[in-house]
């Protein structure tokens, strides 16, 4: 999974507070890429040698609120890369520079394209010997109406990790995602879902709802060695092994199991099926976990399957989908809505007031992302141009949580923009109507908010999330009901609380008795009460990402 992500988890930086003994902090601190103090100019990322004479920074002395173009500084690196990028084959254009050059690029870039550039306090780049620490300062510190940070999404990732995550879906881990039900003592964590529907190479006792009792001998609930807990649950390197005590779903027996970390591919679309209600209505279900490039072909296959089954409603489970590529969201939204979406904008990006008509990243006119009617071929180029299947549905049921974010929220907003009814079952979403193009400089990929997204009706103001059965009187209030996560049933099980509520709504027009409370046990034979849960993920799986 990588040092940087694990540090984000430990520090509680993904709008999460993970284990309470962990330190809290802001932004993208940690190792990798352009971060850390100055490295010797005789070293580079590929182990080669470069000119050992330390250059002077370009740009002259810092003058507050006086900015040179970011192009003045791009690629001037304290530790330049040489050779070619193994993922893209392109030759690195880095040249020997200084930490101040890297910081000046961050400063000018932020002034040019950051959505809230006029809310940044300009600080001298020469006073920071850590580019990641400087980047942490280049954002707004304003609050949303509910009191959350307006910019909770300011991150960095080493570029090689970023390319691996987004292009192939590969990450280092066990093949599962943890759900944190309580991050403070007495802590509680269970398995949220498996990255492969069939479990891959995981032991059979590891399923959704399996509860963590201890990690490498440290009691999860009350143990003081939080580093051991975090490093065991989120391993960094392939081949790491960690010993867990696990209470399997539906069992009172605690079992010991050793999990070995490996490079894995996530399976973003799972449990695709059709159910028939008591009244004979055909209802499709699918779990969609990540807007990564590999999801395109899987979504096409899933919708083709549901189209063949002639489903009349769809339950789209986005509860753990933190986002990813916006183009994937636009494809799926068309596959749901069909003919009603043709010719309509899915989402229009609005940049800062310096760029009212031209996209500052691509240099092209700002055209909306359409509801794509044909495949883009993001991974499998043989799919490019193929007509997408469609369900032609006038409404869709979405299962959500606070982990439903960004590109997933764009599906909700985009469909509502063309009057497809969206009924929300679960919890309030994360509230991220913002996005970015990832920017690489000197081996670090920077994620700074560059645009907000609005639908065909011009709405995009949901910074505090979409709210099921909301009463705030805004377009972010959706019909539906607030129901906690049910870890006593497998995902896709008709008795799982959120899916059961959606089926009941289809039959009766409401969620039924289970909706009495988000933490109610009503109607559920439960060992773990219905809960709100945090499911930390890599940045590639928790954003609204545009490609150039």
């Amino acid at each position: 999974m990588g040092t940087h992500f694990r540090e984000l988890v430990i520090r509680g930086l993904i709008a999460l507070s993970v284990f309470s003994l962990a330190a809290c902090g802001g932004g993208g601190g940690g190792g990798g890429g352009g971060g850390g103090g100055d490295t010797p100019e005789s070293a580079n990322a590929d182990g080669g040698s470069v000119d050992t004479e330390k250059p002077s920074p370009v740009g002259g002395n810092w003058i507050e609120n006086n900015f040179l173009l970011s192009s003045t500084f791009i690629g001037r690196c304290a530790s330049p890369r040489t050779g070619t990028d193994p993922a893209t084959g392109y030759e690195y254009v880095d040249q020997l520079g200084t930490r101040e050059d890297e910081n000046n690029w961050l400063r000018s870039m932020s002034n040019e394209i950051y959505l809230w550039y006029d809310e940044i306090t300009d600080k001298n780049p020469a006073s920071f010997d850590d580019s990641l620490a400087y980047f942490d300062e280049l954002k707004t510190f304003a609050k949303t109406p509910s009191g959350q940070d307006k910019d909770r999404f300011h991150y960095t990732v080493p570029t090689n990790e970023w390319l691996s995550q987004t292009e192939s879906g590969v990450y280092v881990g066990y093949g599962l995602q943890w759900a944190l039900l309580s991050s403070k003592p007495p802590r509680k964590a269970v398995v949220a879902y498996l990255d492969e529907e069939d479990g891959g190479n995981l032991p059979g006792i590891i399923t959704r709802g399996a509860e963590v009792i201890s990690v490498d001998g440290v009691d999860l609930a009350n143990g003081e060695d939080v580093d051991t807990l975090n490093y065991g649950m989120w391993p960094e390197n392939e081949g790491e092994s960690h010993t867990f005590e696990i209470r399997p779903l539906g069992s009172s027996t605690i079992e010991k199991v050793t999990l070995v970390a490996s490079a894995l591919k996530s399976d973003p679309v799972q449990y695709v099926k059709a159910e028939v209600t008591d009244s004979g209505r055909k209802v499709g279900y699918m779990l969609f976990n990540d807007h990564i490039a590999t999801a395109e072909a899987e979504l096409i296959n899933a919708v083709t399957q549901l189209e063949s089954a002639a489903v009349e409603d769809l339950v789209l489970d986005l509860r753990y989908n933190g986002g990813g590529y916006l183009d994937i969201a636009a494809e799926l939204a068309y596959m749901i809505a069909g003919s009603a979406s043709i010719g309509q904008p899915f989402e229009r990006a609005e940049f800062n007031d310096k760029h009212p008509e031209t996209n500052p990243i691509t240099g092209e006119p700002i055209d909306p992302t359409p509801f794509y009617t044909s495949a883009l071929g993001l991974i499998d180029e043989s799919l490019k141009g193929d007509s997408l299947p469609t369900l032609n549905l006038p409404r869709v049921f979405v299962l959500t949580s606070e982990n439903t974010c960004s590109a997933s929220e764009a599906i909700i907003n985009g469909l509502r923009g063309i009057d497809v009814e969206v009924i929300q079952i679960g919890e309030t979403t994360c509230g991220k109507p913002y996005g970015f193009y990832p920017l690489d400089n000197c081996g670090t990929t920077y994620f700074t908010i560059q645009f907000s997204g609005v639908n065909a009706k011009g709405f995009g103001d949901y910074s505090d999330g979409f709210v099921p059965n909301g009463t705030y009187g805004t377009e972010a209030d959706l019909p539906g009901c607030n129901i906690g996560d049910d870890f006593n049933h497998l995902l896709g099980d008709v008795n799982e609380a959120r899916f059961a509520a959606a089926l009941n709504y289809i039959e009766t027009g409401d969620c039924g008795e289970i909706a009495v409370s988000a933490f109610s046990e009503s109607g559920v034979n439960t060992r773990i009460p219905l809960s709100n849960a945090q499911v930390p993920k890599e940045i590639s799986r928790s954003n609204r990402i545009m490609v150039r």
Side-chain angles (χ1 to χ4, degrees):
M1 182 167 293
T3 302
H4 195 78
F5 172 73
R6 188 172 59 196
E7 291 189 2
L8 291 178
V9 175
I10 292 171
R11 298 182 185 188
L13 293 181
I14 317 177
L16 307 175
S17 60
V18 186
F19 296 140
S20 64
L21 295 180
C24 293
D38 280 313
T39 56
E41 273 69 24
S42 59
N44 63 61
D46 296 308
S49 61
V50 296
D51 189 349
T52 57
E53 182 179 351
K54 186 172 182 179
S56 299
V58 300
N61 295 327
W62 171 71
I63 301 175
E64 187 175 6
N65 295 320
N66 184 31
F67 300 89
L68 296 178
L69 292 175
S70 61
S71 57
T72 307
F73 309 103
I74 192 167
R76 298 184 60 86
C77 309
S79 181
R81 297 164 291 178
T82 60
T84 58
D85 186 292
T88 65
Y90 290 116
E91 185 175 354
Y92 291 122
V93 296
D94 299 358
Q95 58 182 303
L96 184 60
T98 67
R99 177 67 55 210
E100 187 175 342
D101 290 333
E102 291 190 34
N103 292 349
N104 264 312
W105 177 79
L106 288 170
R107 173 178 177 260
S108 293
M109 175 272 293
S110 299
N111 181 65
E112 289 165 3
I113 64 175
Y114 183 60
L115 184 61
W116 303 291
Y117 71 95
D118 54 351
E119 297 179 31
I120 295 174
T121 299
D122 190 23
K123 296 184 178 180
N124 187 350
S127 64
F128 289 80
D129 61 5
D130 183 330
S131 293
L132 302 188
Y134 187 55
F135 182 66
D136 288 347
E137 299 297 319
L138 299 174
K139 65 177 183 178
T140 180
F141 291 92
K143 302 291 185 180
T144 70
S146 72
Q148 299 185 85
D149 289 336
K150 184 163 71 172
D151 189 350
R152 310 185 296 281
F153 315 106
H154 202 67
Y155 306 126
T156 66
V157 168
T159 297
N160 59 344
E161 289 187 21
W162 167 250
L163 292 173
S164 174
Q165 292 172 17
T166 55
E167 295 302 318
S168 64
V170 171
Y171 75 101
V172 173
Y174 303 124
L176 57 81
Q177 300 296 320
W178 302 112
L180 305 178
L181 279 64
S182 174
S183 58
K184 297 180 180 180
R187 310 178 192 95
K188 197 176 189 71
V190 299
V191 175
Y193 69 91
L194 308 184
D195 277 324
E196 295 184 58
E197 185 175 330
D198 63 4
N201 295 320
L202 286 166
I205 64 170
I206 304 294
T207 67
R208 172 177 169 81
E211 183 180 357
V212 180
I213 305 302
S214 72
V215 181
D216 290 334
V218 177
D219 175 58
L220 181 106
N222 296 296
E224 295 185 0
D225 187 355
V226 177
D227 285 344
T228 293
L229 296 175
N230 278 311
Y231 277 75
M233 294 181 71
W234 291 280
E236 177 181 349
N237 300 308
E238 295 181 57
E240 281 188 39
S241 64
H242 297 274
T243 301
F244 292 78
E245 286 186 311
I246 296 286
R247 181 183 288 119
L249 176 63
S251 173
S252 59
T253 302
I254 296 174
E255 301 193 36
K256 185 173 289 187
V257 62
T258 297
L259 300 180
V260 180
S262 60
L264 300 166
K265 286 188 177 182
S266 63
D267 184 12
V269 183
Q270 300 182 20
Y271 304 112
V272 180
K273 63 176 184 173
E275 296 285 350
V276 180
T277 66
D278 291 342
S279 68
R281 192 169 183 85
K282 294 181 180 179
V283 179
Y285 171 90
M286 67 173 163
L287 174 68
F288 178 32
N289 290 324
D290 299 298
H291 286 76
I292 55 178
T294 54
E296 182 181 36
E298 291 194 35
L299 287 169
I300 292 170
N301 291 337
V303 174
T304 298
Q305 177 182 332
L306 297 176
E307 183 183 27
S308 298
V311 299
E312 301 162 271
D313 272 302
L314 174 65
V315 178
L316 178 61
D317 197 337
L318 298 174
R319 75 184 79 188
Y320 303 128
N321 194 320
Y325 286 125
L326 187 67
D327 285 345
I328 296 284
E331 286 184 313
L332 179 55
Y334 165 73
M335 289 190 276
I336 293 169
S339 58
S341 68
I342 294 175
Q344 297 270 27
F346 173 68
E347 180 171 288
R348 177 179 172 84
E350 295 185 343
F351 294 85
N352 67 37
D353 58 13
K354 295 182 179 182
H355 310 284
E357 298 180 355
T358 302
N359 183 316
I361 309 300
T362 67
E364 299 173 351
I366 299 175
D367 292 324
T369 298
F371 287 84
Y372 290 111
T373 61
S374 58
L376 297 173
L378 296 176
I379 290 293
D380 184 354
E381 291 191 1
S382 68
L383 294 174
K384 189 172 183 178
D386 287 355
S387 295
L388 294 173
T390 181
L391 302 177
N392 281 299
L393 297 176
R395 70 175 181 181
V396 62
F397 291 78
V398 292
L399 309 186
T400 66
S401 73
E402 65 183 64
N403 306 287
T404 306
C405 199
S406 205
S408 290
E409 292 173 300
I411 293 175
I412 295 170
N413 199 47
L415 289 173
R416 284 170 57 82
I418 59 168
D419 293 323
V420 171
E421 183 180 18
V422 180
I423 299 165
Q424 182 182 2
I425 311 293
E427 303 164 63
T428 300
T429 62
C430 87
K432 188 179 181 185
Y434 314 117
F436 46 69
Y437 293 80
L439 301 175
D440 166 62
N441 192 49
C442 300
T444 296
T445 295
Y446 293 91
F447 305 89
T448 188
I449 297 298
Q450 299 151 5
F451 64 87
S452 62
V454 299
N455 64 19
K457 295 183 177 180
F459 177 74
D461 186 13
Y462 51 91
S463 59
D464 282 317
F466 287 106
V467 184
N469 196 28
T471 57
Y472 293 101
T474 75
E475 288 295 314
D477 292 342
L478 269 64
C481 37
N482 189 328
I483 296 177
D485 214 348
D486 173 9
F487 292 101
N488 301 285
H489 294 92
L490 300 179
L491 294 167
D493 186 332
V494 295
N495 294 308
E496 188 275 320
R498 288 174 176 164
F499 190 18
L503 292 171
N504 195 80
Y505 199 109
I506 289 168
E507 290 287 87
T508 68
D510 63 56
C511 289
E513 293 183 2
I514 200 168
V516 171
S517 166
F519 298 95
S520 169
E521 297 184 26
S522 174
V524 179
N525 182 13
T526 171
R527 174 170 58 85
I528 302 173
L530 301 187
S531 307
N532 295 333
Q534 303 165 349
V535 182
K537 286 189 177 184
E538 301 92 340
I539 291 173
S540 64
R541 302 160 79 181
S542 55
N543 281 291
R544 181 195 249 97
I545 302 159
M546 300 283 271
V547 293
R548 303 189 194 195

